[in-house]
Amino acid sequence: MLVEVAVAAAVRGTFTYRVPTELAREVSLGQRVAVPFGRSRRATGYVVGFPTAPTAGFELRDVVEVLDAEPPFTPKLVELIRWAEEYYLVPPGELLRAALPPGLNARGGEAGPERRGVEYAAPAPGAAEAVQRLARAPARRALLEYLLARGRIPVEELRAAFPRGRAALTGLARKGLVLLDQETPVARAGVLAGERVDAPVLAPSQAAALGELVPALGRFAPFLLHGITGSGKTEVYLNLIAAARAAGKGALVLVPEIALTPQLSGRFRARFGDDVALMHSGLSGAERHAEWTRLRRGGAHICVGVRSAIFAPVPDLAVIVVDEEHDPSFKQDDGPAYHARDLAVVRARIEDAVLVLGSATPSLETLENTTRGRYRRLTLPTRIDDRPLPEVHLVDLSRLRRGGHEVGPGLVSPELADALLTTLAAGQQSILFLNRRGYQTLVICEACGAEARCTECSVSLTHHARRGVLICHTCGHTERMSVACPACGGVRFGVGVGTEQVEEAVRAIAPAARVARLDRDAVGSADDTAALLARFARREIDVLVGTQMVTKGHDFPGVTLVGVVLADTALALPDFRAAERTFQLLTQVAGRAGRGAEAGRVLVQTFHPTTPAIACAATHDFAAFAADELAKRRRFGFPPFTRLLAVRIEGSEEGARRAAEALAHAARPLLSAELTMLGPAPAPIERIRGRSRWQLLFRASGPPALFRVHGALARVARRPPGGASVRFDMDPHAML
Ligand code: ADP
Ligand code: ZN
């Protein structure tokens, strides 16, 4: 008996092994095996096929051991992974390794105990008063504050919000400050009987969407669910999945980030109880392993998870949901470069599943697929209860400047300062968004003009005033900030505004306001993030300043003002998706305002008020933005009208350049009107961690020409001159 094995190593292709008779009964598709590989006597591999004849010219060696009693991958998952391997031009073993939870990569490791019922936690009477006494137990305090803000919620939501909060929860329960209870039968029985439990009456547009989705169950049917923020998309997912469960089928829900959106996983657990397996980076390896095994054995039928959950072994998969399908986090950039949303389409086809891509700001790729009739488009045009979308007002910073007005420290314009004060006076909350960390983004010597730059990367250092340091945001290099220029001794000054400076400006404008900052410098862990968001939800913070971390997260009914400090930060990036990303971020952050009873308003400060990405976000006009941007993409030949393959080269200055030239040389004979090459050129960030970076970008009307060019480059890429390393990135996202 022969098996085709994908070895968990950075090699393309698969290898044939012989199965000794005593192992033959244990081997099946998707199973992990130990095989001799190269000079190593034992490498892990995965059975991906059963060839009838050995590869000619190769010595046939024996499988050493079969590693699992039952294969971790279903045959359909093996098919998905093989597809991804071909398409993304990555070694299959690497993909398989990325697909499995860490606990399974190591040997052994039995599944954890199967959980039963949904556990709920609620603050006990008197908990609000007790919070003050917990000053010296910050973990318990944060958790209790979260519960006070949210009321009775599934413990699962707490686990998502506070990945390391288990001890704190047990401690609080023991002190009688938190009440824990279990609720199995109701949700479970109802769902299994096909009834909706605990579900609101559907709005007409929700019912209409479900009227198309539910009858499609049982076959491959891709949909775009285009619904503005707060229009009830999640409720549609829940109902569709309930219908699938009533028919005994499973579902997979991909979300961008669970730590920032614990409410979402909480809603799934509340509706479907223990039938939901969660897969996110906050879980330990053993916990992820346990969730994987629960799905594999049919102990859970619904998986809610981040990007890598696209490979989760959901039984009888009938529904795949990709929530916020436009989100860049679905693209994996290091390791095997795959796109989970695009793989969701492939998996839905393999599994005959209904696919729902949900978003308020669909990616232009997805939109174009609806235009071409590949996906059906369903819309939820209004917010639940007909709450209005917030009014967006543009503040033209260049006109302010020309009019002789000072914009003000921290880039807070007089209008924004006024709005902040009015909102505070009304006892309401504000969010200020700026997608730049630190105090100043550039430090320059006024005598010699030298900029503070990273010695290892070709980027300037950001001044973090609170810590008194300069930090490279690319490699993390940190040095003390000195006013004296190291080159000439002259005086240095900083320019460019970051969140730290905005926070300081807000404190100066409104000294009585309770101000907090949410960015990667201010909060170290998912637990800190959840704690801070909980304090904001409890209205213990008046103004929250932060990076894109503030654009997601909870429903904050108290927020009536959203200020975008500078809308232009992403516009100037050397990336054809810069405008699209800007539009998405502005729409998302604007959607935070006015979700409660009070109407919300949004102030967007910009130097480019007429740029479509900004002007259309201000009028909530997705259609106008998409039309304008698609016309540009068509004119300049960018996706969705073409396909791209990036080749990324890293090495010594000389080695990277030589490798890039050798690759370009190998590609030139294939170039035509149909297949063009941009580069070779140094990457926009030319150096990271002391390594030079070059890029080639190939463009064609479809993947086949790109596969051909990959074929021509593969030999050079395996042994590039100058010892450089070469990575292929199909449908690249980051262009830096
Ligand atoms: P989206 O996912 O589009 O942002 P959600 O599904 O989160 O929207 O819905 C927004 C809010 O409206 C949530 O608080 C949700 O519980 C509530 N909601 C959704 N559908 C309904 C409905 N049919 N009736 C009442 N409330 C609803
Ligand atoms: Zn650096």
Side-chain angles (χ1 to χ4, degrees):
M1 180 187 187
L2 300 175
V3 284
E4 185 183 358
V5 174
V7 179
V11 287
R12 296 253 309 143
T14 53
F15 303 85
T16 302
Y17 289 88
R18 183 170 43 214
V19 184
T21 342
E22 67 273 19
L23 294 181
R25 282 187 36 216
E26 296 174 39
V27 170
S28 59
L29 199 65
Q31 200 146 29
R32 295 182 316 146
V33 289
V35 291
F37 185 70
R39 250 167 269 143
S40 116
R41 293 218 312 278
R42 212 187 144 91
T44 305
Y46 307 81
V47 177
V48 296
F50 297 95
T52 46
T55 321
F58 283 95
E59 177 203 358
L60 194 58
R61 297 201 271 177
D62 281 355
V63 169
V64 179
E65 192 186 342
V66 176
L67 296 177
D68 317 278
E70 86 199 299
F73 294 111
T74 60
K76 284 177 178 171
L77 275 172
V78 171
E79 196 181 335
L80 176 71
I81 288 163
R82 302 220 73 186
W83 188 95
E85 169 211 342
E86 293 284 318
Y87 184 80
Y88 290 108
L89 311 166
V90 291
E94 251 183 46
L95 254 182
L96 287 161
R97 195 159 46 180
L100 277 178
L104 270 180
N105 281 332
R107 279 218 57 201
E110 257 315 292
E114 307 224 336
R115 271 180 273 116
R116 251 167 282 117
V118 198
E119 252 196 303
Y120 279 83
E129 296 75 55
V131 162
Q132 301 312 323
R133 298 198 304 271
L134 293 173
R136 269 179 302 148
R140 289 185 188 186
R141 183 185 169 132
L143 213 136
L144 190 55
E145 285 182 331
Y146 187 94
L147 274 179
L148 285 165
R150 296 275 299 132
R152 180 172 174 272
I153 54 168
V155 169
E156 206 64 30
E157 177 178 335
L158 278 178
R159 277 160 54 85
F162 299 90
R164 283 189 296 280
R166 187 165 318 179
L169 181 63
T170 320
L172 286 167
R174 210 178 308 122
K175 289 189 112 183
L177 294 174
V178 166
L179 305 175
L180 295 175
D181 65 305
Q182 281 226 352
E183 186 179 289
T184 1
V186 193
R188 229 20 217 294
V191 167
L192 291 180
E195 295 160 20
R196 286 194 302 275
V197 178
D198 182 22
V201 178
L202 294 174
S205 56
Q206 290 173 319
L210 283 161
E212 301 230 18
L213 291 166
V214 173
L217 284 170
R219 60 187 163 88
F220 169 59
F223 292 88
L224 161 65
L225 181 63
H226 185 183
I228 60 173
T229 53
S231 60
K233 294 186 289 295
T234 311
E235 205 54 52
V236 172
Y237 309 151
L238 290 166
N239 280 276
L240 174 62
I241 292 169
R245 287 301 298 125
K249 307 281 190 180
L252 171 62
V253 182
L254 297 182
V255 296
E257 262 162 303
I258 287 188
L260 289 176
T261 53
Q263 280 176 17
L264 185 94
S265 31
R267 277 168 79 181
F268 277 89
R269 289 285 292 181
R271 194 74 63 90
F272 299 110
D274 201 28
D275 208 17
V276 176
L278 275 187
M279 298 244 188
H280 58 88
S281 49
L283 299 181
S284 72
E287 286 171 319
R288 259 200 275 183
H289 185 175
E291 292 294 71
W292 180 281
T293 311
R294 240 156 46 84
L295 286 166
R296 189 73 183 89
R297 296 189 180 154
H301 298 85
I302 301 168
C303 176
V304 179
V306 295
R307 181 176 62 213
S308 62
I310 184 60
F311 300 110
V314 178
D316 285 320
L317 187 57
V319 173
I320 305 181
V321 171
V322 184
D323 188 35
E324 309 288 358
E325 66 88 28
H326 64 275
D327 197 282
S329 75
F330 289 121
K331 175 72 180 357
Q332 160 102 19
D333 271 327
D334 20 86
Y338 65 87
H339 199 301
R341 186 227 17 237
D342 298 344
L343 280 183
V345 183
V346 179
R347 185 161 183 195
R349 194 182 311 127
I350 293 173
E351 308 249 14
D352 293 315
V354 169
L355 172 72
V356 184
L357 305 176
S359 176
T361 53
S363 66
L364 295 179
E365 283 85 353
T366 296
L367 188 71
E368 185 60 17
N369 276 327
T370 63
T371 308
R372 292 181 193 168
R374 294 206 190 124
Y375 307 164
R376 275 190 64 79
R377 178 176 178 163
L378 308 169
T379 49
L380 304 180
T382 53
R383 279 186 164 180
I384 292 295
D385 295 338
D386 285 324
R387 263 170 228 151
L389 279 171
E391 200 171 298
V392 182
H393 176 65
L394 293 179
V395 179
D396 182 347
L397 294 176
S398 56
R399 209 187 56 214
L400 271 181
R401 284 245 168 99
R402 281 197 308 276
H405 299 281
E406 266 300 308
V407 171
L411 270 184
V412 178
S413 68
E415 273 135 299
L416 183 53
D418 273 356
L420 268 173
L421 291 171
T422 320
T423 308
L424 275 167
Q428 293 161 353
Q429 294 173 294
S430 310
I431 290 178
L432 293 190
F433 162 60
L434 174 65
N435 223 0
R436 278 183 189 158
R437 294 185 289 133
Y439 191 80
Q440 287 149 332
T441 52
L442 191 62
V443 172
I444 309 172
C445 170
E446 66 176 16
C448 73
E451 291 171 12
R453 293 181 72 82
C454 181
T455 49
E456 297 301 299
C457 313
S458 56
V459 299
S460 46
L461 298 173
T462 299
H463 180 205
H464 290 246
R466 184 78 55 89
R467 289 175 55 199
V469 292
L470 297 170
I471 302 179
C472 170
H473 284 183
T474 300
C475 76
H477 163 81
T478 304
E479 61 187 57
R480 290 225 63 76
M481 164 68 185
S482 68
V483 175
C485 171
C488 77
V491 173
R492 296 202 287 183
F493 65 99
V495 293
V497 173
T499 44
E500 217 181 278
Q501 199 178 149
V502 175
E503 182 191 5
E504 184 187 272
V506 173
R507 289 184 195 281
I509 290 164
R514 296 162 301 173
V515 185
R517 180 158 52 89
L518 178 59
D519 59 30
R520 268 191 288 137
D521 303 312
V523 291
S525 67
D527 287 14
D528 295 346
T529 306
L532 187 67
L533 288 172
R535 282 175 53 214
F536 191 54
R538 290 195 68 210
R539 297 189 169 215
E540 294 181 0
I541 296 166
D542 301 309
V543 185
L544 185 64
V545 178
T547 54
Q548 56 180 302
M549 290 172 83
V550 303
T551 66
K552 306 182 181 178
H554 302 237
D555 241 325
F556 301 112
V559 174
T560 56
L561 173 69
V562 164
V564 177
V565 176
L566 185 61
D568 314 346
T569 52
L571 274 182
L573 294 177
D575 185 336
F576 70 89
R577 286 194 182 85
E580 186 179 6
R581 187 75 193 120
T582 299
F583 181 85
Q584 290 164 352
L585 278 173
L586 292 179
T587 304
Q588 199 158 31
V589 71
R592 297 299 109 206
R595 292 177 80 104
E598 310 289 332
R601 67 170 164 158
V602 182
L603 287 189
V604 175
Q605 306 195 122
T606 173
F607 287 101
H608 304 95
T610 56
T611 292
I614 291 171
C616 296
T619 50
H620 306 292
D621 196 343
F622 174 80
F625 169 73
D628 176 82
E629 183 64 15
L630 281 169
K632 286 177 186 151
R633 299 272 182 94
R634 190 188 290 277
R635 180 147 27 100
F636 297 112
F638 278 109
F641 302 106
T642 57
R643 301 297 273 266
L644 302 177
L645 169 64
V647 186
R648 307 183 190 286
I649 303 127
E650 262 189 44
S652 66
E653 200 173 334
E654 172 67 10
R657 187 184 54 74
R658 272 179 54 208
E661 277 164 9
L663 289 162
H665 182 75
R668 275 194 193 99
L670 290 174
L671 299 182
S672 64
E674 147 71 9
L675 175 73
T676 55
M677 175 170 78
L678 290 136
I685 300 179
E686 284 183 41
R687 211 155 43 90
I688 292 183
R689 292 189 178 86
R691 305 251 292 166
S692 286
R693 308 166 75 237
W694 282 66
Q695 284 184 359
L696 292 170
L697 193 61
F698 293 96
R699 168 159 56 189
S701 62
L706 299 176
F707 294 147
R708 278 200 298 282
V709 84
H710 171 262
L713 298 187
R715 197 182 44 79
V716 187
R718 254 195 305 277
R719 239 172 240 128
S725 71
V726 178
R727 279 188 64 224
F728 292 93
D729 186 357
M730 193 69 163
D731 302 330
H733 268 228
M735 295 290 155
L736 294 174

mmCIF file with all atom_site columns, all heavy atoms in Angstrom, residues 712-728:
data_model
loop_
_atom_site.group_PDB
_atom_site.id
_atom_site.type_symbol
_atom_site.label_atom_id
_atom_site.label_alt_id
_atom_site.label_comp_id
_atom_site.label_asym_id
_atom_site.label_entity_id
_atom_site.label_seq_id
_atom_site.pdbx_PDB_ins_code
_atom_site.Cartn_x
_atom_site.Cartn_y
_atom_site.Cartn_z
_atom_site.occupancy
_atom_site.B_iso_or_equiv
_atom_site.pdbx_formal_charge
_atom_site.auth_seq_id
_atom_site.auth_comp_id
_atom_site.auth_asym_id
_atom_site.auth_atom_id
_atom_site.pdbx_PDB_model_num
ATOM 1   N N   . ALA A 1 712 ? 7.928  29.443 -13.984 1.00 0.00 ? 712 ALA A N   1
ATOM 2   C CA  . ALA A 1 712 ? 9.213  29.837 -14.564 1.00 0.00 ? 712 ALA A CA  1
ATOM 3   C C   . ALA A 1 712 ? 10.184 30.352 -13.498 1.00 0.00 ? 712 ALA A C   1
ATOM 4   O O   . ALA A 1 712 ? 11.394 30.286 -13.656 1.00 0.00 ? 712 ALA A O   1
ATOM 5   C CB  . ALA A 1 712 ? 8.985  30.914 -15.621 1.00 0.00 ? 712 ALA A CB  1
ATOM 6   N N   . LEU A 1 713 ? 9.632  30.877 -12.386 1.00 0.00 ? 713 LEU A N   1
ATOM 7   C CA  . LEU A 1 713 ? 10.493 31.462 -11.354 1.00 0.00 ? 713 LEU A CA  1
ATOM 8   C C   . LEU A 1 713 ? 10.873 30.464 -10.271 1.00 0.00 ? 713 LEU A C   1
ATOM 9   O O   . LEU A 1 713 ? 11.809 30.696 -9.512  1.00 0.00 ? 713 LEU A O   1
ATOM 10  C CB  . LEU A 1 713 ? 9.783  32.642 -10.686 1.00 0.00 ? 713 LEU A CB  1
ATOM 11  C CG  . LEU A 1 713 ? 9.422  33.824 -11.567 1.00 0.00 ? 713 LEU A CG  1
ATOM 12  C CD1 . LEU A 1 713 ? 8.893  34.968 -10.726 1.00 0.00 ? 713 LEU A CD1 1
ATOM 13  C CD2 . LEU A 1 713 ? 10.639 34.286 -12.350 1.00 0.00 ? 713 LEU A CD2 1
ATOM 14  N N   . ALA A 1 714 ? 10.130 29.362 -10.190 1.00 0.00 ? 714 ALA A N   1
ATOM 15  C CA  . ALA A 1 714 ? 10.281 28.461 -9.038  1.00 0.00 ? 714 ALA A CA  1
ATOM 16  C C   . ALA A 1 714 ? 11.722 27.974 -8.894  1.00 0.00 ? 714 ALA A C   1
ATOM 17  O O   . ALA A 1 714 ? 12.258 27.897 -7.793  1.00 0.00 ? 714 ALA A O   1
ATOM 18  C CB  . ALA A 1 714 ? 9.314  27.291 -9.167  1.00 0.00 ? 714 ALA A CB  1
ATOM 19  N N   . ARG A 1 715 ? 12.359 27.654 -10.037 1.00 0.00 ? 715 ARG A N   1
ATOM 20  C CA  . ARG A 1 715 ? 13.705 27.105 -9.969  1.00 0.00 ? 715 ARG A CA  1
ATOM 21  C C   . ARG A 1 715 ? 14.683 28.149 -9.399  1.00 0.00 ? 715 ARG A C   1
ATOM 22  O O   . ARG A 1 715 ? 15.475 27.861 -8.518  1.00 0.00 ? 715 ARG A O   1
ATOM 23  C CB  . ARG A 1 715 ? 14.161 26.664 -11.366 1.00 0.00 ? 715 ARG A CB  1
ATOM 24  C CG  . ARG A 1 715 ? 15.353 25.730 -11.377 1.00 0.00 ? 715 ARG A CG  1
ATOM 25  C CD  . ARG A 1 715 ? 15.754 25.393 -12.806 1.00 0.00 ? 715 ARG A CD  1
ATOM 26  N NE  . ARG A 1 715 ? 15.753 26.603 -13.667 1.00 0.00 ? 715 ARG A NE  1
ATOM 27  C CZ  . ARG A 1 715 ? 16.736 27.505 -13.692 1.00 0.00 ? 715 ARG A CZ  1
ATOM 28  N NH1 . ARG A 1 715 ? 17.787 27.340 -12.944 1.00 0.00 ? 715 ARG A NH1 1
ATOM 29  N NH2 . ARG A 1 715 ? 16.663 28.559 -14.476 1.00 0.00 ? 715 ARG A NH2 1
ATOM 30  N N   . VAL A 1 716 ? 14.580 29.386 -9.882  1.00 0.00 ? 716 VAL A N   1
ATOM 31  C CA  . VAL A 1 716 ? 15.443 30.456 -9.372  1.00 0.00 ? 716 VAL A CA  1
ATOM 32  C C   . VAL A 1 716 ? 15.126 30.719 -7.896  1.00 0.00 ? 716 VAL A C   1
ATOM 33  O O   . VAL A 1 716 ? 16.023 30.950 -7.081  1.00 0.00 ? 716 VAL A O   1
ATOM 34  C CB  . VAL A 1 716 ? 15.233 31.761 -10.175 1.00 0.00 ? 716 VAL A CB  1
ATOM 35  C CG1 . VAL A 1 716 ? 16.254 32.810 -9.756  1.00 0.00 ? 716 VAL A CG1 1
ATOM 36  C CG2 . VAL A 1 716 ? 15.304 31.484 -11.666 1.00 0.00 ? 716 VAL A CG2 1
ATOM 37  N N   . ALA A 1 717 ? 13.825 30.669 -7.561  1.00 0.00 ? 717 ALA A N   1
ATOM 38  C CA  . ALA A 1 717 ? 13.419 31.004 -6.199  1.00 0.00 ? 717 ALA A CA  1
ATOM 39  C C   . ALA A 1 717 ? 13.931 29.987 -5.194  1.00 0.00 ? 717 ALA A C   1
ATOM 40  O O   . ALA A 1 717 ? 14.155 30.310 -4.033  1.00 0.00 ? 717 ALA A O   1
ATOM 41  C CB  . ALA A 1 717 ? 11.888 31.082 -6.128  1.00 0.00 ? 717 ALA A CB  1
ATOM 42  N N   . ARG A 1 718 ? 14.110 28.718 -5.643  1.00 0.00 ? 718 ARG A N   1
ATOM 43  C CA  . ARG A 1 718 ? 14.596 27.694 -4.721  1.00 0.00 ? 718 ARG A CA  1
ATOM 44  C C   . ARG A 1 718 ? 16.031 27.964 -4.305  1.00 0.00 ? 718 ARG A C   1
ATOM 45  O O   . ARG A 1 718 ? 16.401 27.764 -3.166  1.00 0.00 ? 718 ARG A O   1
ATOM 46  C CB  . ARG A 1 718 ? 14.474 26.310 -5.352  1.00 0.00 ? 718 ARG A CB  1
ATOM 47  C CG  . ARG A 1 718 ? 13.335 25.493 -4.755  1.00 0.00 ? 718 ARG A CG  1
ATOM 48  C CD  . ARG A 1 718 ? 13.437 24.026 -5.098  1.00 0.00 ? 718 ARG A CD  1
ATOM 49  N NE  . ARG A 1 718 ? 13.523 23.773 -6.529  1.00 0.00 ? 718 ARG A NE  1
ATOM 50  C CZ  . ARG A 1 718 ? 12.484 23.704 -7.346  1.00 0.00 ? 718 ARG A CZ  1
ATOM 51  N NH1 . ARG A 1 718 ? 11.263 23.866 -6.866  1.00 0.00 ? 718 ARG A NH1 1
ATOM 52  N NH2 . ARG A 1 718 ? 12.635 23.483 -8.630  1.00 0.00 ? 718 ARG A NH2 1
ATOM 53  N N   . ARG A 1 719 ? 16.838 28.435 -5.239  1.00 0.00 ? 719 ARG A N   1
ATOM 54  C CA  . ARG A 1 719 ? 18.241 28.719 -4.907  1.00 0.00 ? 719 ARG A CA  1
ATOM 55  C C   . ARG A 1 719 ? 18.623 30.074 -5.477  1.00 0.00 ? 719 ARG A C   1
ATOM 56  O O   . ARG A 1 719 ? 19.366 30.160 -6.452  1.00 0.00 ? 719 ARG A O   1
ATOM 57  C CB  . ARG A 1 719 ? 19.131 27.628 -5.497  1.00 0.00 ? 719 ARG A CB  1
ATOM 58  C CG  . ARG A 1 719 ? 19.904 26.953 -4.394  1.00 0.00 ? 719 ARG A CG  1
ATOM 59  C CD  . ARG A 1 719 ? 20.648 25.748 -4.839  1.00 0.00 ? 719 ARG A CD  1
ATOM 60  N NE  . ARG A 1 719 ? 20.152 24.624 -4.096  1.00 0.00 ? 719 ARG A NE  1
ATOM 61  C CZ  . ARG A 1 719 ? 19.723 23.484 -4.607  1.00 0.00 ? 719 ARG A CZ  1
ATOM 62  N NH1 . ARG A 1 719 ? 19.737 23.289 -5.859  1.00 0.00 ? 719 ARG A NH1 1
ATOM 63  N NH2 . ARG A 1 719 ? 19.286 22.525 -3.848  1.00 0.00 ? 719 ARG A NH2 1
ATOM 64  N N   . PRO A 1 720 ? 18.106 31.151 -4.877  1.00 0.00 ? 720 PRO A N   1
ATOM 65  C CA  . PRO A 1 720 ? 18.360 32.470 -5.468  1.00 0.00 ? 720 PRO A CA  1
ATOM 66  C C   . PRO A 1 720 ? 19.832 32.846 -5.327  1.00 0.00 ? 720 PRO A C   1
ATOM 67  O O   . PRO A 1 720 ? 20.461 32.459 -4.338  1.00 0.00 ? 720 PRO A O   1
ATOM 68  C CB  . PRO A 1 720 ? 17.497 33.408 -4.641  1.00 0.00 ? 720 PRO A CB  1
ATOM 69  C CG  . PRO A 1 720 ? 16.843 32.591 -3.593  1.00 0.00 ? 720 PRO A CG  1
ATOM 70  C CD  . PRO A 1 720 ? 17.417 31.219 -3.605  1.00 0.00 ? 720 PRO A CD  1
ATOM 71  N N   . PRO A 1 721 ? 20.377 33.561 -6.294  1.00 0.00 ? 721 PRO A N   1
ATOM 72  C CA  . PRO A 1 721 ? 21.762 34.011 -6.172  1.00 0.00 ? 721 PRO A CA  1
ATOM 73  C C   . PRO A 1 721 ? 21.881 34.935 -4.967  1.00 0.00 ? 721 PRO A C   1
ATOM 74  O O   . PRO A 1 721 ? 20.917 35.584 -4.570  1.00 0.00 ? 721 PRO A O   1
ATOM 75  C CB  . PRO A 1 721 ? 22.008 34.769 -7.473  1.00 0.00 ? 721 PRO A CB  1
ATOM 76  C CG  . PRO A 1 721 ? 20.663 35.118 -8.000  1.00 0.00 ? 721 PRO A CG  1
ATOM 77  C CD  . PRO A 1 721 ? 19.733 34.055 -7.520  1.00 0.00 ? 721 PRO A CD  1
ATOM 78  N N   . GLY A 1 722 ? 23.062 34.960 -4.372  1.00 0.00 ? 722 GLY A N   1
ATOM 79  C CA  . GLY A 1 722 ? 23.308 35.880 -3.271  1.00 0.00 ? 722 GLY A CA  1
ATOM 80  C C   . GLY A 1 722 ? 22.654 35.469 -1.965  1.00 0.00 ? 722 GLY A C   1
ATOM 81  O O   . GLY A 1 722 ? 22.592 36.255 -1.024  1.00 0.00 ? 722 GLY A O   1
ATOM 82  N N   . GLY A 1 723 ? 22.130 34.224 -1.892  1.00 0.00 ? 723 GLY A N   1
ATOM 83  C CA  . GLY A 1 723 ? 21.597 33.712 -0.627  1.00 0.00 ? 723 GLY A CA  1
ATOM 84  C C   . GLY A 1 723 ? 20.360 34.439 -0.142  1.00 0.00 ? 723 GLY A C   1
ATOM 85  O O   . GLY A 1 723 ? 20.048 34.434 1.052   1.00 0.00 ? 723 GLY A O   1
ATOM 86  N N   . ALA A 1 724 ? 19.602 35.089 -1.036  1.00 0.00 ? 724 ALA A N   1
ATOM 87  C CA  . ALA A 1 724 ? 18.399 35.800 -0.611  1.00 0.00 ? 724 ALA A CA  1
ATOM 88  C C   . ALA A 1 724 ? 17.274 34.798 -0.348  1.00 0.00 ? 724 ALA A C   1
ATOM 89  O O   . ALA A 1 724 ? 17.390 33.617 -0.674  1.00 0.00 ? 724 ALA A O   1
ATOM 90  C CB  . ALA A 1 724 ? 17.977 36.788 -1.690  1.00 0.00 ? 724 ALA A CB  1
ATOM 91  N N   . SER A 1 725 ? 16.180 35.265 0.270   1.00 0.00 ? 725 SER A N   1
ATOM 92  C CA  . SER A 1 725 ? 15.003 34.410 0.402   1.00 0.00 ? 725 SER A CA  1
ATOM 93  C C   . SER A 1 725 ? 13.877 35.005 -0.441  1.00 0.00 ? 725 SER A C   1
ATOM 94  O O   . SER A 1 725 ? 13.783 36.217 -0.606  1.00 0.00 ? 725 SER A O   1
ATOM 95  C CB  . SER A 1 725 ? 14.581 34.293 1.859   1.00 0.00 ? 725 SER A CB  1
ATOM 96  O OG  . SER A 1 725 ? 14.043 35.521 2.300   1.00 0.00 ? 725 SER A OG  1
ATOM 97  N N   . VAL A 1 726 ? 13.027 34.115 -0.973  1.00 0.00 ? 726 VAL A N   1
ATOM 98  C CA  . VAL A 1 726 ? 11.985 34.535 -1.903  1.00 0.00 ? 726 VAL A CA  1
ATOM 99  C C   . VAL A 1 726 ? 10.639 34.002 -1.432  1.00 0.00 ? 726 VAL A C   1
ATOM 100 O O   . VAL A 1 726 ? 10.526 32.830 -1.089  1.00 0.00 ? 726 VAL A O   1
ATOM 101 C CB  . VAL A 1 726 ? 12.272 33.987 -3.321  1.00 0.00 ? 726 VAL A CB  1
ATOM 102 C CG1 . VAL A 1 726 ? 11.151 34.384 -4.283  1.00 0.00 ? 726 VAL A CG1 1
ATOM 103 C CG2 . VAL A 1 726 ? 13.613 34.491 -3.831  1.00 0.00 ? 726 VAL A CG2 1
ATOM 104 N N   . ARG A 1 727 ? 9.632  34.870 -1.375  1.00 0.00 ? 727 ARG A N   1
ATOM 105 C CA  . ARG A 1 727 ? 8.270  34.442 -1.014  1.00 0.00 ? 727 ARG A CA  1
ATOM 106 C C   . ARG A 1 727 ? 7.303  34.862 -2.104  1.00 0.00 ? 727 ARG A C   1
ATOM 107 O O   . ARG A 1 727 ? 7.411  35.958 -2.651  1.00 0.00 ? 727 ARG A O   1
ATOM 108 C CB  . ARG A 1 727 ? 7.820  35.103 0.283   1.00 0.00 ? 727 ARG A CB  1
ATOM 109 C CG  . ARG A 1 727 ? 8.326  34.465 1.538   1.00 0.00 ? 727 ARG A CG  1
ATOM 110 C CD  . ARG A 1 727 ? 7.645  35.101 2.738   1.00 0.00 ? 727 ARG A CD  1
ATOM 111 N NE  . ARG A 1 727 ? 6.211  34.857 2.733   1.00 0.00 ? 727 ARG A NE  1
ATOM 112 C CZ  . ARG A 1 727 ? 5.292  35.777 3.001   1.00 0.00 ? 727 ARG A CZ  1
ATOM 113 N NH1 . ARG A 1 727 ? 5.639  37.013 3.254   1.00 0.00 ? 727 ARG A NH1 1
ATOM 114 N NH2 . ARG A 1 727 ? 4.017  35.469 2.990   1.00 0.00 ? 727 ARG A NH2 1
ATOM 115 N N   . PHE A 1 728 ? 6.355  33.977 -2.398  1.00 0.00 ? 728 PHE A N   1
ATOM 116 C CA  . PHE A 1 728 ? 5.306  34.319 -3.354  1.00 0.00 ? 728 PHE A CA  1
ATOM 117 C C   . PHE A 1 728 ? 4.059  34.708 -2.577  1.00 0.00 ? 728 PHE A C   1
ATOM 118 O O   . PHE A 1 728 ? 3.717  34.074 -1.585  1.00 0.00 ? 728 PHE A O   1
ATOM 119 C CB  . PHE A 1 728 ? 5.015  33.130 -4.270  1.00 0.00 ? 728 PHE A CB  1
ATOM 120 C CG  . PHE A 1 728 ? 6.161  32.827 -5.190  1.00 0.00 ? 728 PHE A CG  1
ATOM 121 C CD1 . PHE A 1 728 ? 7.131  31.896 -4.848  1.00 0.00 ? 728 PHE A CD1 1
ATOM 122 C CD2 . PHE A 1 728 ? 6.276  33.503 -6.397  1.00 0.00 ? 728 PHE A CD2 1
ATOM 123 C CE1 . PHE A 1 728 ? 8.197  31.632 -5.690  1.00 0.00 ? 728 PHE A CE1 1
ATOM 124 C CE2 . PHE A 1 728 ? 7.340  33.247 -7.249  1.00 0.00 ? 728 PHE A CE2 1
ATOM 125 C CZ  . PHE A 1 728 ? 8.299  32.308 -6.900  1.00 0.00 ? 728 PHE A CZ  1
#
